[in-house]
Amino acid sequence: EKREYRECLVWNRKVLAEILDAPTGSLVLLGAYGGYHVTEGTATPLSLKESVPLLRQTAGNELKALAEDGVRTSVFEEIFASPRPVPSCIDRLGADDCSFVPQSDPVDLLRGLPATEPMIEARHLQCPAIPCPVVRDGVITMRDDLHLTAAFSASFAPTIAASIDQMLATPSL
């Protein structure tokens, strides 16, 4: 029997509670995956082409509302997806021979929306050259085709933290 997937809902509720309790001067960082399909009333998913404008509109409204409340916001660039699950590629080809060429740019739902701070660029951290290596400095980069591993994310966390620190050190407009 398949269990109900609730992890995202639980995580979203936790994060929203933390945002509401955040001290003045905090920065809210938004990220989005451009492959989600909106489901409207009938539980029939809209196509990706139909979903993207609705998701962008919702995100834009949230960013505007946060800015009106004096909250600083930034958006996180979406990472590249692998055309196949990385662990199975490593199993089949070995770490040295497994890499991928992004099939297309990810759909950046948040690029160009009214955040108060610059976008945090991440693709160059994930993929410094094409083809994208799936093992860097002995660390597997992705746990499937869409998600970075915790260990790899931690490896570039100091770079992201420096970007955030720089934003927070600069007075808001």
Side-chain angles (χ1 to χ4, degrees):
E1 181 177 327
K2 198 171 186 178
R3 74 174 182 84
E4 181 182 4
Y5 179 76
R6 299 184 44 79
E7 285 82 353
C8 286
L9 178 62
V10 170
W11 183 84
N12 285 339
R13 286 182 178 158
K14 177 183 176 280
V15 169
L16 288 173
E18 289 178 14
I19 290 171
L20 293 174
D21 288 340
T24 302
S26 295
L27 174 73
V28 174
L29 179 62
L30 286 79
Y33 165 60
Y36 286 121
H37 295 260
V38 173
T39 302
E40 290 192 86
T42 63
T44 302
L46 298 177
S47 70
L48 186 58
K49 186 176 181 177
E50 295 168 315
S51 296
V52 167
L54 294 171
L55 293 169
R56 281 184 58 81
Q57 179 181 7
T58 300
N61 290 344
E62 294 302 320
L63 287 166
K64 286 178 189 171
L66 287 167
E68 287 170 3
D69 288 341
V71 176
R72 297 172 75 174
T73 58
S74 177
V75 297
F76 195 83
E77 179 180 47
E78 187 173 332
I79 64 165
F80 290 117
S82 170
R84 61 192 168 278
V86 166
S88 61
C89 177
I90 292 171
D91 286 346
R92 195 173 58 256
L93 301 176
D96 293 336
D97 294 323
C98 187
S99 61
F100 70 91
V101 174
Q103 301 303 301
S104 62
D105 280 340
V107 176
D108 268 325
L109 287 176
L110 305 177
R111 188 177 296 277
L113 291 181
T116 64
E117 308 297 326
M119 173 178 261
I120 295 178
E121 310 245 342
R123 289 187 195 138
H124 69 284
L125 299 171
Q126 175 199 14
C127 185
I130 304 292
C132 299
V134 298
V135 176
R136 301 236 335 257
D137 299 321
V139 177
I140 296 173
T141 61
M142 299 179 78
R143 65 179 172 88
D144 55 24
D145 56 338
L146 295 174
H147 299 91
L148 299 177
T149 63
F152 182 63
S153 295
S155 75
F156 63 78
T159 304
I160 301 298
S163 295
I164 292 170
D165 288 345
Q166 183 176 4
M167 284 181 206
L168 291 174
T170 304
S172 58
L173 299 174

